[in-house]
Amino acid sequence: MHPTDATDGEEELSRRGAMLRAYLAGDRVVMVGPPGYRRELADLGVNAAVVECDAETRQVPSLGLPPGSQDAVFANDVLACIGDYRAAIAEWFGTLKVGGRLVIAVPHQFLFERKLFPPSRWETQHRRFYTTSLLLTEIEEALDPLSYRVRDLTEDDEDFDYSAPPDQSPTGSCDIIVVLERMARPPYADALLDERSGDRATGRFVRVPGPAASEPVVAIETTAGPPQRILVLKLDHRGDFIMGRPAMELLRREFPSSHLTLVCGPWNRADAEQLGLFNEVIGFAFFPEVASHVSDLAKEEERVILFARHMAGRSYDLAIDLRVDQDTRLLLTAVDATQRAGFGTAERFPFLDIALPFINPTVSGRAEQRLIMPDRFTAMAGRHEGFAIVNPDDLPGKTHGDRLIYGPYADFEAGDWTLEIIIEPLASDFDLTYDVCWDVGSNVIGAGILPVRRGVRPRIALHLEEALKGVEIRVSVGPSNRVRPYRFLGCRVGKRGAFPALHQQEMLVLLASLVAHRMRFPYQTVDTATRLPVS
Amino acid sequence: MSAALVIAPVSNDPLRDWPLSHFEQLARLCVEQLEATVDCVGIRAQRVAVNQIVRRLPPDRVRNLCGTMPWSDTTELIRSASCVVANNSGIAHLAAGLGVPTVCVFGASHNPYEWMARGPAVITLHKRTGCAPCAFGQLAECPFDKRCLREIAPETVFEAVRRACARTDAPVQGSPVHV
């Protein structure tokens, strides 16, 4: 396969011979390959130990050489026979000293094999065919890119007979030969290979200690199938019921095999039955039939209890309140349902699993959310550590109202805002106070107790009638006069958005569509450590 | 139990990428404990980085296919997978939409309930760090060494893969699902 002119002394060498003599220099050289190549190296004057592979299977024994001990390793016509090429290349390379060379010769696919796919015409042990690109691909997979350089690479076709057809045994040289030199890894190698390290934050980097129980890894998992039993509440008046019809039709279309129960005002019951969308229709008078009439109905809370009694013994996979106004929403709590859906925010109706938050559409402006980092704040106690403000010690002698942290003098648009002060205890829990103000503290727009507890981050609601500039958030010592160690990680602020008015019918269809889409692939959230559901 | 896994370890945003060393450990666990084959997919420019995942793993079980196939072939590979593991990226949405069991490792830059992949057999893993969601746009902005992803252990993801592969209530793999 590798005809080589026998060389003596100054006799002209083949290309292959010249490469081998040049790169297999040194006292410690080993050749890995099939039997029969000792002579070639001896003729070249290369003093190499030889590790012969099995003549039939070409299986290569481990070299058994200490790492970093060899001047050169020559892997001669064996790589194509080895399954785990990554491990083989890594082992050969690993035995080299810094500055040592790994020379790999493999048969060229279009010189030796002359075939598009294995098996080989000539060597049944060849598992893979090689082009230069494929050989380098294997090397790149196998070796740390900062540990070597390619010093030579050739497609050796010296004396190759291109006139011979592929089904004739090739004559002349027909190998790819690559020479790698082992390099000392530069000091920055690990950092460079730490993925995307060039994009890592630098200078003010802070490593937050390991996982805390308050920061679980959760799995949000698709759960089984669509709901089998669905309850729909449409308790308002005749016009409302008519406007709700497209949403009801949508629900039937999306859940064709589910059992649908409708609860409506008794005045709409006959029409509801005629629609043919529901398996069951129940009348319940939450409102008076004519809204302007003085109601002789029980108070709202009592009606919720009445409804609970009415629905006792029934259970549903899903209950939906198809009313935009929020006055009927509590009825969902009176129903045994796995999931509850309706208009409103999770803040106001925490029992809603599917909530469409149409809140206060008259407050204009876009929604916002941003994190204000601790470097925007001044620390009157503790110190800035990277992006955090850390107070590592108890602070005796402090009294209620003493300032600890203040900033960020940020601008806020008009609207409804929520503010989270991210501060966590480093030892035991305790309480501080906060206030939010502008105009250098002369106008306080929010104040209260700030619990510093693991896993607790109260959301502070702020309603701003007008835009404010230079808003200051201040954290101070609480009424107990106690300050324990803490870490402050900044504030997250969010502003609710709004939108142009939508028709009631459109809003109901949006809710029904949302429910249908969510329930197509319902999911639950579980703590991966305990497998218990979390909200 | 043997499985054909596809992993897409590099997204178009480093802020969203689970560490390569974690992917390597995950691939090793899948090979050793599930007798799995693992195909790493991505574009050509991601190939060198993905070599860090495959380097110490057997090539007959773990392949680096980055840059070797067009999108259409990648889709077919995913369609036939036992499970796909991805970051918060297009491959996760593709796999989930195809109904293939999908495990998505989801960082803190986005709220998973707003952006996670949806489908009949999806597990989204998310660490609820105090800084989540940060809404940062680049890794350089994160002062916490991307701990939201680093601290999701390979063993946790492996357990999710095992669960995903074992699911029997998902639709037939590869059947088109419109999400």
Side-chain angles (χ1 to χ4, degrees):
Chain A
M1 186 188 335
H2 311 290
T4 307
D5 295 335
T7 55
D8 281 313
E10 299 305 312
E11 199 171 323
E12 186 177 350
L13 292 174
S14 65
R15 186 184 306 166
R16 172 187 169 95
M19 286 182 71
L20 295 182
R21 179 178 283 181
Y23 292 116
L24 299 182
D27 298 330
R28 291 176 174 272
V29 178
V30 62
M31 185 192 79
V32 188
Y37 282 90
R38 288 173 183 272
R39 170 79 191 282
E40 180 189 15
L41 295 186
D43 288 347
L44 290 168
V46 173
N47 181 23
V50 176
V51 177
E52 289 189 351
C53 60
D54 185 279
E56 290 300 317
T57 65
R58 298 280 184 98
Q59 291 303 300
V60 181
S62 173
L63 300 187
L65 297 169
S69 62
Q70 302 298 302
D71 294 303
V73 174
F74 178 31
N76 185 19
D77 189 26
V78 290
L79 191 59
C81 310
I82 295 172
D84 194 344
Y85 56 85
R86 291 175 194 150
I89 295 171
E91 186 192 355
W92 301 333
F93 187 80
T95 65
L96 293 176
K97 302 172 182 172
V98 170
R101 276 88 51 199
L102 172 61
V103 181
I104 301 174
V106 293
H108 194 299
Q109 179 170 2
F110 298 103
L111 297 175
F112 180 73
E113 313 285 4
R114 286 184 287 169
K115 203 162 173 273
L116 273 182
F117 302 103
S120 170
R121 299 175 195 274
W122 322 111
E123 295 283 357
T124 54
Q125 302 91 341
H126 286 181
R127 295 165 181 247
R128 299 177 303 281
F129 291 172
Y130 285 96
T131 63
T132 300
S133 163
L134 291 172
L135 176 58
L136 292 178
T137 295
E138 292 189 359
I139 291 168
E140 289 186 352
E141 286 184 14
L143 299 180
D144 174 353
L146 288 148
S147 66
Y148 72 94
R149 295 276 69 83
V150 176
R151 292 301 182 206
D152 211 335
L153 174 64
T154 190
E155 298 193 348
D156 183 13
D157 61 349
E158 193 169 18
D159 299 327
F160 181 81
D161 182 2
Y162 283 95
S163 67
D167 57 356
Q168 284 186 17
S169 182
T171 57
S173 296
C174 42
D175 276 350
I176 303 168
I177 304 172
V178 64
V179 180
L180 313 179
E181 180 179 336
R182 181 165 188 168
M183 310 296 293
R185 290 181 92 237
Y188 54 78
D190 287 339
L192 192 151
L193 292 177
D194 188 357
E195 81 281 359
R196 317 284 181 108
S197 59
D199 292 322
R200 171 175 282 182
T202 55
R204 305 178 69 190
F205 171 73
V206 55
R207 174 73 178 165
V208 177
S214 60
E215 295 184 336
V217 176
V218 299
I220 309 164
E221 302 179 341
T222 312
T223 56
Q228 298 302 306
R229 291 179 57 80
I230 301 173
L231 177 69
V232 179
L233 305 185
K234 190 58 186 159
L235 287 157
D236 33 21
H237 299 92
R238 286 193 169 82
D240 301 308
F241 185 84
I242 291 167
M243 284 191 287
R245 185 170 163 173
M248 297 178 204
E249 290 171 343
L250 188 152
L251 290 172
R252 172 45 83 200
R253 207 163 50 240
E254 292 290 336
F255 302 108
S257 58
S258 300
H259 184 279
L260 261 62
T261 298
L262 174 74
V263 180
C264 61
W267 48 86
N268 283 322
R269 184 169 179 173
D271 284 350
E273 288 172 343
Q274 279 192 346
L275 281 178
L277 299 174
F278 298 97
N279 303 87
E280 181 184 21
V281 178
I282 298 172
F284 181 78
F286 185 80
F287 301 108
E289 181 174 4
V290 179
S292 59
H293 285 183
V294 176
S295 173
D296 56 356
L297 296 174
K299 288 192 294 188
E300 187 173 313
E301 296 78 7
E302 294 168 338
R303 278 177 277 159
V304 172
I305 295 169
L306 281 174
F307 184 65
R309 287 181 186 153
H310 208 76
M311 301 302 289
R314 300 166 184 270
S315 65
Y316 299 92
D317 300 313
L318 170 66
I320 312 163
D321 184 5
L322 281 183
R323 178 168 163 82
V324 177
D325 288 354
Q326 305 190 353
D327 45 11
T328 54
R329 211 67 76 245
L330 281 179
L331 290 177
L332 290 174
T333 65
V335 177
D336 178 5
T338 307
Q339 304 231 34
R340 297 177 175 86
F343 291 103
T345 63
E347 187 176 43
R348 179 158 181 188
F349 301 117
F351 53 83
L352 290 179
D353 302 286
I354 305 173
L356 190 53
F358 282 161
I359 50 165
N360 199 4
T362 58
V363 177
S364 62
R366 65 186 180 85
E368 280 188 42
Q369 189 170 61
R370 62 179 190 259
L371 191 63
I372 304 177
M373 302 300 289
D375 59 350
R376 301 276 307 276
F377 290 80
T378 299
M380 298 291 286
R383 59 184 181 272
H384 282 272
E385 280 188 8
F387 281 83
I389 292 175
V390 175
N391 168 46
D393 304 306
D394 287 340
L395 297 178
K398 293 283 186 187
T399 57
H400 184 199
D402 286 353
R403 200 79 68 231
L404 297 173
I405 296 166
Y406 65 91
Y409 304 104
D411 298 341
F412 286 75
E413 295 293 327
D416 289 318
W417 291 83
T418 56
L419 170 66
E420 287 178 58
I421 299 174
I422 308 172
I423 187 167
E424 57 190 32
L426 296 176
S428 59
D429 297 342
F430 65 106
D431 288 343
L432 298 173
T433 61
Y434 76 91
D435 60 1
V436 184
C437 54
W438 61 287
D439 198 13
V440 203
S442 58
N443 289 293
V444 176
I445 51 179
I449 296 293
L450 177 64
V452 183
R453 291 173 195 168
R454 205 168 291 281
V456 174
R457 277 187 288 147
R459 302 179 80 188
I460 299 162
L462 295 175
H463 177 72
L464 302 185
E465 293 289 348
E466 57 184 296
L468 295 179
K469 289 189 178 298
V471 172
E472 183 182 5
I473 299 164
R474 305 187 296 197
V475 176
S476 307
V477 178
S480 68
N481 300 327
R482 292 177 62 222
V483 182
R484 306 299 319 280
Y486 60 81
R487 175 170 49 217
F488 172 74
L489 297 168
C491 289
R492 182 172 21 259
V493 293
K495 177 175 170 292
R496 294 169 183 160
F499 45 87
L502 294 179
H503 190 273
Q504 291 282 309
Q505 203 168 53
E506 295 169 335
M507 293 167 75
L508 294 172
V509 167
L510 283 175
L511 177 61
S513 299
L514 170 62
V515 168
H517 189 81
R518 177 75 61 85
M519 298 311 291
R520 183 168 175 80
F521 304 122
Y523 53 80
Q524 64 172 356
T525 305
V526 298
D527 187 322
T528 55
T530 63
R531 295 294 306 161
L532 294 174
V534 293
S535 57
Chain B
M1 174 183 182
S2 73
L5 261 67
V6 171
I7 66 177
V10 188
S11 74
N12 62 4
D13 181 351
L15 195 60
R16 303 184 193 183
D17 290 350
W18 199 43
L20 295 175
S21 57
H22 287 25
F23 270 113
E24 181 195 359
Q25 290 182 58
L26 172 68
R28 186 181 301 283
L29 287 167
C30 291
V31 167
E32 291 175 353
Q33 298 192 30
L34 299 181
E35 299 176 13
T37 59
V38 180
D39 284 333
C40 303
V41 297
I43 62 172
R44 188 170 178 272
Q46 296 162 351
R47 183 173 185 87
V48 171
V50 172
N51 277 339
Q52 291 188 67
I53 297 174
V54 306
R55 183 156 293 138
R56 285 170 284 273
L57 296 167
D60 60 333
R61 310 307 295 268
V62 184
R63 297 191 294 176
N64 181 355
L65 299 180
C66 292
T68 65
M69 53 176 63
W71 180 252
S72 56
D73 289 356
T74 304
T75 302
E76 289 310 307
L77 181 72
I78 284 170
R79 196 190 299 275
S80 63
S82 310
C83 179
V84 173
V85 183
N87 301 304
N88 171 21
S89 69
I91 293 289
H93 291 285
L94 174 67
L98 288 171
V100 177
T102 303
V103 175
C104 180
V105 191
F106 203 102
S109 61
H110 294 68
N111 180 345
Y113 295 99
E114 295 176 7
W115 295 96
M116 65 185 177
R118 298 290 306 279
V122 181
I123 299 176
T124 302
L125 293 168
H126 175 65
K127 183 175 176 67
R128 290 180 166 176
T129 51
C131 49
C134 64
F136 289 152
Q138 322 176 35
L139 182 56
E141 293 179 80
C142 174
F144 305 127
D145 194 22
K146 205 167 64 170
R147 58 186 285 261
C148 56
L149 284 163
R150 286 187 191 283
E151 292 178 4
I152 297 177
E155 292 77 9
T156 302
V157 180
F158 174 68
E159 192 51 42
V161 169
R162 193 201 292 272
R163 289 174 57 77
C165 288
R167 282 193 64 143
T168 56
D169 54 352
V172 176
Q173 279 175 31
S175 60
V177 174
H178 302 291
V179 291

